[in-house]
Amino acid sequence: MFLYLGKRLAEILVTLVGITLLSFFIIHLAPGKPTDVLTDLNPKITPEARERLEKYYGLDKPIIVQYLLWVKRVVRLDFGDSFSTDRRPVWEKIRERLPVTVSINLLSMMLIFLVAVPVGITSATRRYSLYDKITTVGVFIGFAMPAFWLGILLMMLFGVYLNWLPISGLRSMNYETLSAGGKVMDLAKHLVLPVFVSAFGGIAGISRYMRSSMLEVVRQDYIVTARAKGLPESKVIYRHALRNALLPIITLLGLSVPGLIGGSVIFEQIFSIPGMGRLFWMSVMQRDYPLIMGLLTIGAVLTLIGNMLADLCYAVADPRIRRR
Amino acid sequence: MLRERFTRNRLAVAGGILVALLFIVALLAPVLAPYEPDYIDRYHVLEPPGRLHPLGTDDIGRDVLSRMLYGARVSLSVGFVAVGISTLIGMMMGAVAGYYGGIADRLIMRFVDVMLSIPSFFLILAVIAFVGPSIWNIMFIIGLTSWMGVARLVRAEFLSLKSREYILAARAVGASDTRIILRHMLPNSLAPVIVSAVLGVASAVLLESSLSFLGIGVQPPMPSWGNILTAGKANIEIAWWLSVFPGAAILVTVLSYNLLGEGLRDALDPRLWERR
């Protein structure tokens, strides 16, 4: 298992270098000195800000030196200072937003798992039934549904017409006056729609994969054996088949991390949630380059952490890997 | 035979018909639209659907139906150009990796991994921040960030084709690498590429509308389904028609491309034939 994990770790490190190269390339996207173009595009950038950018990236030095200098800073989480009026360090700004985005994404992954796995199993065991057909239609709609439109529709229904749920932010105005239980309820109410919206596409995708993975496993010889020795069907499905059918799903959940993190821009913007995604959106609107580059790097690192966790879960779940 | 397998799948046929209809609508937008897309009806701002404006008007009095019809053009052209770019890049990368193998293969595949592990939405937004939002930039950026799937597909096809007899024969008679790749191997690996291109249009349409909705895609006054929805969100409490219609248009478009793509996949993949 350690050999397997070590190999994966080495791969991830190489990927990390690739990511920093790519991010570095983006800042040099524009021909000539990036700062020249920046000032043309954005009259808001003062000569003083431009000077800071030149200093941060060491733009007067050869490109390889620039890259190495930049990597040295990034490793210490020094992404420079934000261009916005408060001029705070980029990492400080990201750090306060990170927990919001990470916890919403974790909640939506849990929701995806809890809904998609049972739905996938039941539609596989009742293949071609009415239930299976309905979930298949649901999956196709789920794939095609623009997340932001779903968000708007749900806001309209539950927030405006029914007035059951709040439609923006994470806390009500009177949050401070609420009791402890009331605070939890308040937060939960604010989270229902964003978590559901960010999980929606994933539920459709994962339940589809769960269904086909289950159908694949059920055809295997060991399932026939389990049935032949007279085990009840529920035991065959939930003990023998499920464990094997879940393996590819773990990998898929890991692979869905970049999509979830990227998607946080959309749902945080719709529901005005003060997380990383909304910060990213604002930094793009204000062309706050140091903040953009910092968020891009952190987003990629989060993805890699997600992939690593998926690998670890996979190794735990699959004895064949553990023994290697 | 192929056509028969495709037409037996009624959903796929429905998807194909809807895609064709969308094209006709986009082409005929100037004829079908009751107003110019930029025409401002100052006396009917935020008017609900009615006789004058079948799908209502937006927050500055433009006709929603007309803007949606012209928006179909934007959506489809972004979808097609972006997918054209990504398919081309993907085929090139996949062909080189699969045909030459070795260090080229390892470099390209590692690059694919890097691209896949950056949240692509973040990457797209970052690039837009530097190059500025416009319909052309959107097409290119979506194309440049979505070629990885095609590259993997083509590489896999090439790996299995490489040792086929007709390829060996072509090499034996002295055909150049370029000729073998372009004349013999690419045409034989097109089936999965076509399927993924059709599905790719669906996701490009979704991406474009999300970007335009966030205000960093197609810029007003050019109409796009996404930027009509921006106004819908701003007026969510008073104007449901601004949100419901353009969103439904996106859903139907993406759904039809997905159905068409899945139908083509089933028709083209011999491994799936026996099942039905």
Side-chain angles (χ1 to χ4, degrees):
Chain A
M1 176 160 112
F2 290 108
L3 194 70
Y4 164 79
L5 286 179
K7 220 164 131 189
R8 290 289 298 144
L9 199 68
E11 271 174 35
I12 281 168
L13 280 178
V14 175
T15 313
L16 200 60
V17 172
I19 289 168
T20 57
L21 269 173
L22 195 68
S23 321
F24 188 73
F25 169 76
I26 288 173
I27 195 119
H28 286 262
L29 247 186
K33 267 192 185 175
T35 42
D36 290 347
V37 182
L38 305 191
T39 38
D40 285 351
L41 275 175
N42 188 355
K44 267 188 283 185
I45 291 189
T46 57
E48 184 263 345
R50 170 185 165 158
E51 202 178 293
R52 276 199 290 151
L53 203 64
E54 277 183 20
K55 211 170 133 199
Y56 177 76
Y57 282 98
L59 292 173
D60 48 341
K61 303 190 178 74
I63 192 139
I64 300 194
V65 180
Q66 282 181 38
Y67 172 69
L68 291 176
L69 277 176
W70 182 68
V71 168
K72 217 171 107 187
R73 284 160 168 259
V74 167
V75 169
R76 283 177 291 161
L77 293 173
D78 170 14
F79 297 102
D81 292 344
S82 161
F83 272 180
S84 64
T85 41
D86 58 12
R87 298 258 183 97
R88 289 166 55 210
V90 165
W91 171 239
E92 216 179 285
K93 285 192 143 182
I94 297 177
R95 199 177 47 194
E96 38 180 62
R97 305 281 191 126
L98 203 59
V100 175
T101 303
V102 170
S103 34
I104 291 182
N105 277 321
L106 282 178
L107 281 175
S108 70
M109 268 181 117
M110 267 159 57
L111 185 66
I112 291 174
F113 199 76
L114 288 177
V115 177
V117 170
V119 168
I121 297 172
T122 42
S123 53
T125 49
R126 289 185 230 162
R127 198 177 177 191
Y128 301 136
S129 67
L130 184 64
Y131 172 80
D132 184 30
K133 280 179 186 143
I134 291 173
T135 51
T136 304
V137 171
V139 163
F140 266 100
I141 291 177
F143 271 137
M145 179 73 88
F148 61 96
W149 189 50
L150 180 69
I152 293 176
L153 289 185
L154 292 175
M155 263 167 101
M156 222 190 280
L157 180 64
F158 293 108
V160 178
Y161 289 106
L162 297 173
N163 214 353
W164 287 353
L165 293 167
I167 57 173
S168 83
L170 279 178
R171 284 166 190 174
S172 303
M173 299 277 261
N174 59 351
Y175 183 78
E176 292 307 327
T177 64
L178 293 171
S179 62
K183 280 181 180 169
V184 172
M185 266 310 284
D186 186 57
L187 197 62
K189 267 186 170 174
H190 281 87
L191 282 176
V192 171
L193 292 182
V195 169
F196 181 73
V197 168
S198 77
F200 192 73
I203 292 176
I206 302 279
S207 66
R208 195 66 185 164
Y209 282 111
M210 189 65 215
R211 177 180 180 273
S212 51
S213 169
M214 199 68 185
L215 287 174
E216 189 72 34
V217 168
V218 166
R219 277 193 306 203
Q220 303 294 320
D221 287 344
Y222 57 82
I223 296 298
V224 178
T225 312
R227 281 195 182 127
K229 69 179 184 188
L231 281 181
E233 185 64 15
S234 65
K235 212 162 192 179
V236 173
I237 296 292
Y238 291 101
R239 273 206 71 85
H240 294 246
L242 180 59
R243 285 186 146 210
N244 288 287
L246 271 179
L247 289 177
I249 304 302
I250 294 174
T251 316
L252 266 176
L253 273 181
L255 288 177
S256 68
V257 172
L260 280 174
I261 293 176
S264 60
V265 177
I266 291 171
F267 71 80
E268 286 179 8
Q269 174 55 18
I270 297 177
F271 295 105
S272 317
I273 290 169
M276 250 176 80
R278 193 168 155 81
L279 187 65
F280 204 122
W281 180 79
M282 287 192 296
S283 66
V284 169
M285 292 310 255
Q286 295 162 354
R287 295 180 182 273
D288 189 341
Y289 298 111
L291 194 49
I292 293 172
M293 299 314 293
L295 282 163
L296 187 65
T297 318
I298 296 293
V301 171
L302 281 183
T303 307
L304 288 179
I305 294 177
N307 288 350
M308 248 161 67
L309 286 179
D311 282 338
L312 200 69
C313 290
Y314 200 95
V316 169
D318 190 344
R320 281 167 299 183
I321 287 178
R322 234 180 301 160
R323 235 170 275 139
R324 230 184 271 161
Chain B
M1 183 63 173
L2 206 66
R3 185 187 297 168
E4 194 189 309
R5 267 194 304 272
F6 180 75
T7 47
R8 228 184 303 158
N9 186 344
R10 266 174 295 164
L11 277 176
V13 173
I17 292 174
L18 276 173
V19 167
L21 263 177
L22 272 166
F23 265 91
I24 296 172
V25 164
L27 272 177
L28 294 183
V31 186
L32 294 172
Y35 299 87
E36 287 291 310
D38 301 333
Y39 172 74
I40 292 171
D41 185 346
R42 238 177 307 162
Y43 304 102
H44 298 97
V45 171
L46 283 177
E47 176 132 309
R51 226 177 336 140
L52 224 48
H53 299 280
L55 300 184
T57 61
D58 69 5
D59 49 346
I60 54 173
R62 293 172 299 193
D63 183 59
V64 172
L65 175 63
S66 308
R67 288 186 74 70
M68 277 177 58
L69 287 169
Y70 278 89
R73 298 184 145 193
V74 169
S75 229
L76 293 182
S77 43
V78 170
F80 267 82
V81 176
V83 166
I85 295 171
S86 71
T87 308
L88 220 68
I89 301 177
M91 286 206 298
M92 256 162 44
M93 294 282 197
V96 170
Y99 187 81
Y100 293 102
I103 187 126
D105 182 28
R106 259 197 267 157
L107 273 178
I108 290 175
M109 284 320 167
R110 188 50 60 191
F111 185 44
V112 166
D113 285 348
V114 168
M115 291 291 289
L116 284 174
S117 64
I118 298 184
S120 62
F121 208 70
F122 273 26
L123 188 63
I124 291 173
L125 290 186
V127 176
I128 289 174
F130 284 93
V131 299
S134 78
I135 181 165
W136 293 106
N137 287 347
I138 298 297
M139 288 175 178
F140 276 102
I141 297 168
I142 295 179
L144 288 175
T145 49
S146 54
W147 51 269
M148 291 81 76
V150 180
R152 282 191 166 167
L153 282 176
V154 173
R155 174 179 176 267
E157 288 289 315
F158 266 48
L159 285 179
S160 78
L161 285 177
K162 210 159 57 171
S163 50
R164 296 280 173 87
E165 273 174 20
Y166 66 94
I167 301 297
L168 298 179
R171 194 167 302 145
V173 298
S176 67
D177 283 356
T178 329
R179 190 182 161 83
I180 293 177
I181 292 178
L182 292 179
R183 292 290 306 246
H184 300 290
M185 291 178 84
L186 267 184
N188 278 304
S189 45
L190 273 186
V193 174
I194 292 170
V195 172
S196 101
V198 174
L199 296 174
V201 174
S203 51
V205 167
L206 256 183
L207 253 179
E208 180 274 321
S209 63
S210 316
L211 291 170
S212 301
F213 169 72
L214 291 174
I216 28 202
V218 174
Q219 296 294 300
M222 190 186 269
S224 120
W225 294 338
N227 67 29
I228 303 174
L229 273 160
T230 315
K233 158 102 201 307
N235 299 290
I236 189 168
E237 284 166 14
I238 41 178
W240 57 268
W241 57 93
L242 270 180
S243 299
V244 170
F245 298 124
I250 301 169
L251 177 72
V252 170
T253 306
V254 175
L255 191 62
S256 7
Y257 275 100
N258 280 342
L259 289 175
L260 179 66
E262 297 281 337
L264 282 176
R265 189 206 310 267
D266 291 351
L268 290 170
D269 189 346
R271 277 165 302 179
L272 294 173
W273 292 350
E274 55 207 280
R275 267 202 224 155
R276 8 194 107 228

